[in-house]
Amino acid sequence: MPIVLLSDFGNADGYAGTMKGVISQMAPKLSVVDLSHEIPPFGIVQAALVLYQSYRYFPEGSIFVAVVDPGVGSQRKAILVKSPAYYFIAPDNGLLTLVLEKETPQKIIHLTNEAYFLNPASPTFQGRDIFAPVAAQLAEGIAPELFGQKILDYQRLPDFFPEVSKKKVQGKIISVDRFGNGVTNLSKEFLQKHFPGLKFFIQVRNKKIQTLKNHYAEVKGKSPFLLFGSSGFLEISMNQGSAAKQLRLKVGAKLQVKRA
Amino acid sequence: MPIVLLSDFGNADGYAGTMKGVISQMAPKLSVVDLSHEIPPFGIVQAALVLYQSYRYFPEGSIFVAVVDPGVGSQRKAILVKSPAYYFIAPDNGLLTLVLEKETPQKIIHLTNEAYFLNPASPTFQGRDIFAPVAAQLAEGIAPELFGQKILDYQRLPDFFPEVSKKKVQGKIISVDRFGNGVTNLSKEFLQKHFPGLKFFIQVRNKKIQTLKNHYAEVKGKSPFLLFGSSGFLEISMNQGSAAKQLRLKVGAKLQVKRA
Amino acid sequence: MPIVLLSDFGNADGYAGTMKGVISQMAPKLSVVDLSHEIPPFGIVQAALVLYQSYRYFPEGSIFVAVVDPGVGSQRKAILVKSPAYYFIAPDNGLLTLVLEKETPQKIIHLTNEAYFLNPASPTFQGRDIFAPVAAQLAEGIAPELFGQKILDYQRLPDFFPEVSKKKVQGKIISVDRFGNGVTNLSKEFLQKHFPGLKFFIQVRNKKIQTLKNHYAEVKGKSPFLLFGSSGFLEISMNQGSAAKQLRLKVGAKLQVKRA
């Protein structure tokens, strides 16, 4: 089963390559897949989304190593989570919020056993010295419990949960992809529940967007429209243009959802 | 034989990684090579060139999966082309124009058999749901004919063919690479045929360029010069500088070719 | 043992992918790891640092192919260096300066035997035509001596050696990473030797920086501070901000080191 790497290290500085070196030393036969190393620096929310969008397409038993870690070296925990089908290794900073909504954790291990780390472990590059070696040794058959103590819970980020009150429903942009699609935290299930028959429109920066399409090529011209993206979240899109640019959508931007 | 991936998905959003997940699930032993995922968004012309420049360096039997697909979800076809030595899987939008000038198609299959797609296939991410699974199953031994109907022809892009009239020969910039080289659609063969002894010069933005060199380091200073690049096309280059920047060359820019 | 690739080819143009094609043709079973292809164009200094930071994390016997090569096609040599644990293949332009300070060369071979190159070898893309095929054939068991003549020395870059005179100690920025850390050429050993007890401060652009920390999260607010990075060199950093941006640090910028 592959080890799948996700980080904000970028592809320039060799940090991601170094993690692959550590893995190739400890588990030479293993295949390693780069999911993304171009998460924006410290972009925990975007990393959580990328992981959520893709994990289920990997074979059962895959080990995901996700390192977006603004608190590296601080008191934040490093954790290993086992779900029925997968393993997830990450700093405990909310990065696993979305994926663990779907994949029920069976075990959460706080990674504390230094016998499985590189020695000495640098306080600034735990991807190399803690996360990669734990993943490689897990792949080689070490039992999860040996890496540290069982704990009962993990950090969640609020960004993925739309705010619902009597007066309003408010969503958020959680990612802007390369094509300028603004991905919201509004899932199809959520919208169907709160707006039966999907009778809603989005208001963002005083602009009202209601057109809901199935694919990009359906719309001619450079008007923004809505679409449920390949991950199941509502996206604000434009055919061969950047909706994010036209509407100045950034990660964290708020959206009002209203009854149509 | 490897599956070789080419796309405009970028390396940030996890789309390319997800395709690799699908392949690792269906064909776990297979090696997957990333040719490029940083083709400019919707850059069919640039993708066609990258594929053409590189395919022949891969082992016989390699399966190329090229997804630059502005028309995803529309009526454009998805196709599989078998040549004597290789397989090419792509949307039928001209992306295979250059490569199929050299590699004669033996079979062209319109991919229609949904039994080999992920189910349900998303209308916005066919790289994941159609192209990757077809490639993986082809690699696992499924016969090309099983994926759909045989068809007789494919789309060609005009961009790769210089315009020749009695009055003039007009070329085009088809790519600007990372080093600022402007790659033209003028092959050595074409120029030798129309300008015997290679007695020609290029005119672009009122600038005349005639110096033809063999390698970058031959030229001192920041003057643009000509050079047949590693792919056989004429390039406008500069030694350790960006010819594209100095001459404001963009993909699609027109060039006059004249007798020297 | 893997072949590890490092270049300034970028991930867009397919040049790095083509090198992988050549290797997969000549050594199909071999695993290839991308260390980085996003070294800034012609950034020999940055490439030397990335290689130095990461090589020791790869398994013994690994073959590093590093192609940052502004002099491609000129008279600069292409070399293969064997150290006790590794092989390094690169243009002889100083790229191996740092790594060979630690890894004593046992053999240096000037790559001249065209029988092991692709034929004809392009004067503009030796990564494809010389470096990749030599690496693949070395991995397949060809003895280093067969690729060319033994030579006795290699080029070194001065950038990695701080200037020490009676009057001053002067360092340099040798890389700016994705997170805006400015990496200096001042190693911990060097500073301990010249400033016993590490009693020093850095002066850069009339700004004095003295605070020395162990990890990023120790510092609140956007003030620059010092830190020995994961490679052992002193870095100028900022917690979740870009020190390089605030201080306008660029590769090559000079720093004064003074007794505190």
Side-chain angles (χ1 to χ4, degrees):
Chain A
M1 292 309 112
I3 289 183
V4 185
L5 302 179
L6 174 66
S7 81
D8 63 348
F9 292 156
N11 286 310
D13 299 322
Y15 299 133
T18 301
M19 288 180 67
K20 290 184 270 186
V22 171
I23 293 168
S24 72
Q25 219 171 47
M26 294 184 148
K29 300 285 179 201
L30 215 71
S31 97
V32 178
V33 178
D34 294 305
L35 180 50
S36 169
H37 297 292
E38 296 283 353
I39 298 295
F42 316 125
I44 302 175
V45 170
Q46 294 99 314
L49 180 65
V50 165
L51 183 60
Y52 173 75
Q53 287 179 325
S54 54
Y55 80 93
R56 84 201 70 167
Y57 295 95
F58 285 86
E60 209 167 305
S62 294
I63 298 169
F64 294 87
V65 182
V67 192
V68 177
D69 195 8
V72 62
S74 73
Q75 292 305 311
R76 69 97 188 91
K77 298 188 190 88
I79 57 174
L80 158 60
V81 180
K82 187 189 177 329
S83 79
Y86 298 107
Y87 297 93
F88 302 96
I89 299 174
D92 185 23
N93 59 16
L95 206 163
L96 301 179
T97 306
L98 266 182
V99 84
L100 298 183
E101 292 286 305
K102 294 278 178 189
E103 292 288 305
T104 318
Q106 290 180 319
K107 275 178 207 158
I108 308 174
I109 307 290
H110 179 189
L111 301 174
T112 52
N113 189 346
E114 297 181 12
Y116 295 103
F117 303 167
L118 294 200
N119 179 11
S122 145
T124 59
F125 192 4
Q126 300 195 348
R128 179 190 70 194
D129 296 343
I130 296 181
F131 295 108
V134 165
Q137 292 169 95
L138 178 67
E140 292 289 281
I142 302 293
E145 290 77 5
L146 294 177
F147 295 107
Q149 288 93 40
K150 274 196 199 182
I151 56 175
L152 296 173
D153 208 1
Y154 61 92
Q155 299 290 322
R156 284 165 190 79
L157 280 177
D159 305 65
F160 303 109
F161 308 102
E163 289 174 45
V164 181
S165 69
K166 271 188 188 161
K167 289 189 176 160
K168 63 174 183 177
V169 176
Q170 184 173 271
K172 223 181 210 181
I173 295 291
I174 52 174
S175 179
V176 171
D177 77 8
R178 183 176 209 226
F179 299 96
N181 300 304
V183 183
T184 75
N185 62 355
L186 303 161
S187 70
K188 198 170 190 173
E189 287 148 332
F190 173 88
L191 288 166
Q192 272 169 335
K193 186 177 145 200
H194 289 83
F195 301 91
L198 289 175
K199 290 182 176 160
F200 70 94
F201 67 89
I202 295 289
Q203 194 171 314
V204 56
R205 297 188 181 283
N206 294 318
K207 178 116 190 165
K208 181 179 152 177
I209 312 173
Q210 187 169 353
T211 312
L212 183 62
K213 293 292 183 180
N214 280 315
H215 59 82
Y216 307 116
E218 262 183 279
V219 181
K220 304 289 169 223
K222 301 296 177 206
S223 296
F225 58 91
L226 305 172
L227 177 144
F228 285 104
S230 53
S231 61
F233 285 113
L234 192 74
E235 298 181 8
I236 305 176
S237 298
M238 196 175 287
N239 186 19
Q240 296 188 44
S242 170
K245 217 173 200 171
Q246 194 185 87
L247 298 167
R248 288 173 293 128
L249 301 177
K250 290 200 173 159
V251 171
K254 286 172 184 166
L255 320 158
Q256 310 308 321
V257 196
K258 299 186 173 170
R259 207 163 303 273
Chain B
M1 292 308 111
I3 289 182
V4 185
L5 302 179
L6 175 66
S7 81
D8 63 348
F9 293 156
N11 286 310
D13 299 321
Y15 300 133
T18 301
M19 288 180 68
K20 290 184 270 187
V22 170
I23 294 168
S24 72
Q25 219 170 47
M26 294 184 148
K29 301 283 178 201
L30 215 70
S31 96
V32 177
V33 178
D34 293 307
L35 180 50
S36 168
H37 297 292
E38 296 284 353
I39 298 294
F42 316 124
I44 303 174
V45 170
Q46 293 99 314
L49 179 66
V50 165
L51 182 60
Y52 173 75
Q53 287 179 325
S54 54
Y55 80 93
R56 84 201 71 169
Y57 294 96
F58 285 86
E60 209 167 303
S62 294
I63 298 168
F64 295 87
V65 181
V67 192
V68 177
D69 194 7
V72 61
S74 73
Q75 292 305 311
R76 70 98 188 91
K77 297 187 190 88
I79 58 175
L80 157 61
V81 180
K82 185 189 179 329
S83 80
Y86 298 107
Y87 297 93
F88 302 96
I89 300 174
D92 185 23
N93 59 15
L95 205 164
L96 301 179
T97 305
L98 266 182
V99 84
L100 298 183
E101 292 287 305
K102 294 280 176 187
E103 292 289 305
T104 318
Q106 291 179 318
K107 275 178 207 159
I108 308 174
I109 308 290
H110 178 189
L111 302 174
T112 52
N113 190 346
E114 297 180 11
Y116 295 104
F117 303 167
L118 295 201
N119 179 11
S122 145
T124 59
F125 192 4
Q126 301 196 346
R128 179 190 69 195
D129 297 341
I130 297 182
F131 295 108
V134 165
Q137 292 168 96
L138 178 67
E140 292 288 283
I142 303 293
E145 290 77 5
L146 294 176
F147 295 108
Q149 288 92 40
K150 273 195 201 184
I151 56 176
L152 296 172
D153 209 359
Y154 60 94
Q155 298 289 323
R156 285 165 189 79
L157 280 177
D159 305 66
F160 303 108
F161 309 101
E163 289 173 45
V164 181
S165 69
K166 272 187 188 164
K167 289 190 178 161
K168 62 174 184 177
V169 176
Q170 187 174 269
K172 224 181 210 179
I173 296 291
I174 53 174
S175 179
V176 171
D177 77 8
R178 181 177 211 225
F179 299 96
N181 299 304
V183 183
T184 75
N185 63 355
L186 303 160
S187 70
K188 198 169 190 173
E189 288 149 331
F190 173 88
L191 287 166
Q192 272 168 335
K193 186 177 146 201
H194 288 83
F195 300 91
L198 290 174
K199 289 183 176 159
F200 71 93
F201 67 89
I202 295 289
Q203 195 172 315
V204 57
R205 297 187 180 283
N206 293 319
K207 177 113 190 168
K208 182 178 152 179
I209 312 173
Q210 188 169 352
T211 313
L212 183 63
K213 293 293 183 181
N214 280 314
H215 58 81
Y216 307 116
E218 262 183 278
V219 181
K220 304 290 169 222
K222 301 295 179 207
S223 295
F225 58 91
L226 305 171
L227 176 145
F228 285 104
S230 53
S231 61
F233 285 112
L234 192 74
E235 298 182 6
I236 305 177
S237 297
M238 196 175 286
N239 186 21
Q240 297 188 43
S242 170
K245 218 173 199 172
Q246 193 186 88
L247 297 168
R248 287 172 293 128
L249 300 178
K250 290 197 172 162
V251 171
K254 286 171 185 169
L255 320 158
Q256 309 308 321
V257 196
K258 299 187 173 170
R259 207 163 303 274
Chain C
M1 293 306 111
I3 289 182
V4 185
L5 302 179
L6 175 66
S7 81
D8 63 348
F9 292 155
N11 286 310
D13 299 321
Y15 299 133
T18 302
M19 287 181 69
K20 290 184 269 186
V22 170
I23 294 168
S24 72
Q25 219 170 48
M26 294 184 150
K29 301 283 178 201
L30 215 69
S31 96
V32 177
V33 178
D34 294 305
L35 180 50
S36 168
H37 297 293
E38 296 284 353
I39 299 295
F42 317 124
I44 302 175
V45 170
Q46 293 99 314
L49 179 66
V50 165
L51 183 60
Y52 173 75
Q53 287 178 325
S54 53
Y55 81 93
R56 83 200 73 168
Y57 295 96
F58 284 86
E60 209 166 304
S62 295
I63 298 169
F64 295 88
V65 182
V67 192
V68 176
D69 195 8
V72 62
S74 73
Q75 291 305 309
R76 70 97 189 91
K77 297 188 192 86
I79 58 175
L80 157 61
V81 181
K82 185 189 179 327
S83 79
Y86 299 106
Y87 297 93
F88 302 96
I89 299 174
D92 184 23
N93 59 15
L95 205 163
L96 301 179
T97 306
L98 267 182
V99 85
L100 297 183
E101 292 287 304
K102 295 278 179 189
E103 293 288 304
T104 318
Q106 290 180 317
K107 275 177 207 160
I108 308 174
I109 308 290
H110 178 190
L111 302 174
T112 52
N113 189 347
E114 298 180 10
Y116 295 104
F117 303 167
L118 295 199
N119 180 10
S122 146
T124 58
F125 192 4
Q126 300 195 347
R128 179 190 70 194
D129 297 342
I130 297 181
F131 295 108
V134 165
Q137 293 169 95
L138 178 67
E140 293 288 281
I142 303 292
E145 290 76 5
L146 294 177
F147 295 107
Q149 289 92 41
K150 274 195 200 181
I151 56 175
L152 296 173
D153 208 0
Y154 61 92
Q155 299 290 323
R156 284 165 190 80
L157 281 177
D159 305 64
F160 303 109
F161 308 102
E163 288 173 45
V164 181
S165 69
K166 274 187 186 162
K167 287 188 179 161
K168 61 174 185 178
V169 176
Q170 185 173 271
K172 224 182 210 178
I173 296 290
I174 52 174
S175 180
V176 171
D177 77 7
R178 182 176 210 227
F179 299 95
N181 300 304
V183 183
T184 75
N185 62 356
L186 303 161
S187 69
K188 197 168 189 173
E189 288 148 331
F190 173 88
L191 288 166
Q192 271 168 334
K193 185 176 145 201
H194 289 83
F195 301 91
L198 289 175
K199 290 184 175 157
F200 71 94
F201 68 88
I202 295 288
Q203 194 171 315
V204 57
R205 297 187 180 283
N206 294 319
K207 177 114 190 166
K208 183 180 153 179
I209 312 173
Q210 188 170 351
T211 312
L212 183 62
K213 294 292 184 181
N214 280 316
H215 59 81
Y216 307 116
E218 262 183 279
V219 180
K220 304 288 169 223
K222 302 295 179 207
S223 295
F225 59 91
L226 305 172
L227 176 145
F228 285 103
S230 53
S231 61
F233 285 112
L234 192 74
E235 297 181 7
I236 305 177
S237 297
M238 195 175 287
N239 186 20
Q240 296 189 45
S242 170
K245 219 173 198 172
Q246 192 184 90
L247 298 167
R248 287 171 294 129
L249 300 178
K250 290 198 173 161
V251 172
K254 285 171 186 169
L255 321 158
Q256 309 309 320
V257 196
K258 298 185 175 173
R259 206 163 303 272

